Amino acid sequence: MKLRANPHGALSGRASMPGDKSISHRALLLAALAVGESRIAGLLEGEDVMATAAALRRLGVELERDGKGRWTVAGVGIGGLAEPDSVLDLGNAGTGARLIMGLLAGHPFTGIVTGDTSLRRRPMARVAVPLREMGVTILARSGDRLPLAIRGRADPLPLDWRSEIPSAQVKSAILLAGLHAAGRTSVSEPAASRDHTERMLRAMGAEVREEETEGGGRRVTVTGQPELLPRRLTVPGDPSSAAFPTVAALLAPDSRVTLVGVGTNPLRTGLYRTLREMGARILEQNAREEGGEPVADLLVESSDLESVEVPAARAPSMIDEYPILAVAAARARGITAMRGLGELRVKESDRFGAILEGLRACGVRCWSEGDDLFVEGGGPPAGGTRVEARLDHRIAMSFLVLGGIARDPVTVEGAETIATSFPDFVALMNRLGARIEEVTT
Ligand code: S3P
């Protein structure tokens, strides 16, 4: 599908944000491990989360949709999943694939995990290597890529793992496997990654300990074989999705937009902090808690942005937001430096390359030095070009936001990928005043 973003004027109005993708995956997966029925509200019904739901069904879990975003999950208890009678296809969902690998590690049967072209290119060794240490057998394509077959065991060995990268997917996969082990399983990471798994596990009665390690790192320990209690879980709005209307409203003159119910977990809000440092007017209102996570409404008003330097240490708290930050940087005065972006090369696409190529096509000066990315901002970018989404929803949405504030329209090819995380994106943006339309030529 091709979408064309035409330049628009002021954005205004209120909009609720779609459910958080990370938390939605975890809500389904952890509810499946509880003993009894959990009810989830605000679940993101994008393709990624639906792929996780389908995989759980194949593993013998009953899930029912009671209404928009409202689901009931009949938990089978830790170790209670059934052998799947077919391949588990997680589509585009890295979180789904890696966390399901953690679950399979605790079951004495074989599961085969695959995904779409994008997911089959992504590295799985970061999860496969520690799971093998737990005594699990994993046979994969070269480089530990999908598809892979995993034969877990009823009693995986507890593990004390030191991860080289701050990755919530790696951490969560190991913790989920550790839930099945007799004893304690720990994961240390060089910097804290998002802690949704830890928060939810605690709310369900598991013993989870967190400690700071030297140099700003964090170590998380879970005690295996707890009885998880079923819960009512409310999924907050996704700050990573809210990032797109936020930047669009900041950059379109005279805009004033309220984004309702956005998660403000400090391990997710690096973009908002960076934008404020650039001079963005983003006000948090009605701060509250939902499902053990902090939430607020965001009032966003158009702002003149200045370039900043984004330190590498901030990357874990905004890892998915660099494509849209790069769009904001294209309109900020001066050169914005974004440091330490190596992980961007192994996301849904090589986002590092996709940002550079897309911005250049739109007439924005940008370059890289090692893992650092530089964007020179100024007046409205030229636009007037086509950008390929590369099976990457965030690349697609970022360049549609850019098209809205460019001199000429930007067309995104392969835009159907937006449905993985934000199925209502076009309708919502257009309600706020954007001018995105489908084109057939
Ligand atoms: C996610 C963690 C991040 C992020 C991804 C979602 C999660 O990946 O990029 O979109 O839900 O745990 P990494 O853990 O690989 O950094």
Side-chain angles (χ1 to χ4, degrees):
M1 187 215 284
K2 271 186 233 164
L3 290 177
R4 181 168 61 212
N6 300 294
H8 56 72
L11 299 188
S12 65
R14 277 170 80 80
S16 292
M17 289 300 104
D20 188 284
K21 181 152 74 73
S22 291
I23 298 175
S24 294
H25 282 295
R26 288 159 172 82
L28 292 179
L29 293 165
L30 291 180
L33 300 188
V35 178
E37 227 171 63
S38 291
R39 287 180 197 280
I40 305 171
L43 190 84
L44 170 66
E45 291 174 334
E47 288 169 3
D48 273 16
V49 177
M50 293 301 103
T52 289
L56 284 172
R57 282 204 177 102
R58 281 218 179 282
L59 290 161
V61 180
E62 284 174 24
L63 302 101
E64 228 173 276
R65 183 175 190 264
D66 306 318
K68 191 170 188 294
R70 287 191 297 113
W71 288 63
T72 301
V73 180
V76 295
I78 284 171
L81 297 176
E83 184 182 69
D85 64 358
S86 187
V87 171
L88 305 173
D89 185 348
L90 275 306
N92 195 247
T95 305
R98 292 183 174 129
L99 270 54
I100 291 251
M101 284 171 68
L103 285 192
L104 292 173
H107 292 83
F109 52 68
T110 301
I112 297 172
V113 180
T114 193
D116 70 3
T117 321
S118 152
L119 191 56
R120 293 198 309 273
R121 276 198 288 258
R122 298 180 66 185
M124 293 295 151
R126 49 185 62 194
V127 175
V129 170
L131 294 184
R132 286 190 186 112
E133 293 276 317
M134 298 177 89
V136 170
T137 304
I138 299 175
L139 292 178
R141 220 150 53 81
S142 53
D144 271 335
R145 316 240 163 206
L146 301 183
L148 59 74
I150 168 163
R151 183 162 190 92
R153 42 193 283 178
D155 58 343
L157 307 169
L159 180 69
D160 187 357
W161 187 251
R162 185 180 291 269
S163 174
E164 300 285 316
I165 35 169
S167 161
Q169 293 181 356
V170 171
K171 173 178 65 179
S172 302
I174 298 169
L175 294 177
L176 290 185
L179 283 179
H180 299 78
R184 294 201 172 93
T185 293
S186 301
V187 186
S188 311
E189 36 181 12
S193 63
R194 62 192 71 187
D195 61 354
H196 307 306
T197 304
E198 296 90 306
R199 284 173 185 255
M200 207 177 282
L201 276 175
R202 250 191 230 112
M204 297 172 84
E207 196 183 309
V208 183
R209 229 178 38 217
E210 286 174 62
E211 35 190 333
E212 302 295 322
T213 55
E214 65 206 54
R218 189 174 289 197
R219 182 163 187 260
V220 183
T221 303
V222 69
T223 303
Q225 301 180 347
E227 183 171 310
L228 294 182
L229 306 169
R231 286 281 178 239
R232 284 180 181 273
L233 302 163
T234 302
V235 179
D238 198 327
S240 298
S241 298
F244 301 102
T246 294
V247 169
L250 288 173
L251 300 186
D254 304 318
S255 296
R256 188 183 154 91
V257 157
T258 302
L259 306 175
V260 180
V262 182
T264 53
N265 181 321
L267 295 172
R268 292 286 299 281
T269 46
L271 171 77
Y272 297 90
R273 175 171 172 193
T274 304
L275 289 172
R276 287 190 184 103
E277 285 174 7
M278 295 170 86
R281 291 186 291 167
I282 304 172
L283 211 66
E284 274 182 25
Q285 300 175 321
N286 303 321
R288 55 199 184 271
E289 213 183 273
E290 269 174 19
E293 295 273 350
V295 168
D297 303 333
L298 302 183
L299 172 63
V300 185
E301 294 178 318
S302 354
S303 310
D304 288 329
L305 301 183
E306 301 273 352
S307 60
V308 283
E309 170 142 349
V310 191
R314 201 175 295 168
S317 67
M318 55 180 294
I319 192 65
D320 291 334
E321 278 66 78
Y322 286 100
I324 192 63
L325 176 64
V327 172
R331 201 61 183 86
R333 207 167 314 121
I335 296 169
T336 293
M338 302 167 229
R339 305 212 180 264
L341 306 192
E343 273 294 299
L344 285 200
R345 300 185 207 276
V346 291
K347 292 296 175 187
E348 285 84 329
S349 69
D350 167 6
R351 282 189 181 152
F352 201 103
I355 293 170
L356 284 169
E357 204 180 297
L359 285 183
R360 281 183 189 138
C362 292
V364 178
R365 225 170 83 77
C366 54
W367 63 96
S368 63
E369 286 169 19
D371 286 342
D372 299 342
L373 179 67
F374 300 85
V375 176
E376 187 174 324
T385 189
R386 284 170 186 242
V387 173
E388 170 56 48
R390 305 181 180 208
L391 288 176
D392 190 329
H393 51 134
R394 300 200 202 280
I395 293 299
M397 290 186 276
S398 296
F399 283 98
L400 289 172
V401 169
L402 190 148
I405 54 99
R407 288 203 296 272
D408 289 308
V410 172
T411 300
V412 170
E413 298 188 354
E416 61 279 357
T417 186
I418 292 171
T420 59
S421 70
F422 201 158
D424 204 27
F425 174 75
V426 173
L428 185 146
M429 290 295 291
N430 286 348
R431 265 201 313 277
L432 294 174
R435 296 174 53 226
I436 304 172
E437 59 187 347
E438 189 172 348
V439 286
T440 45
T441 50

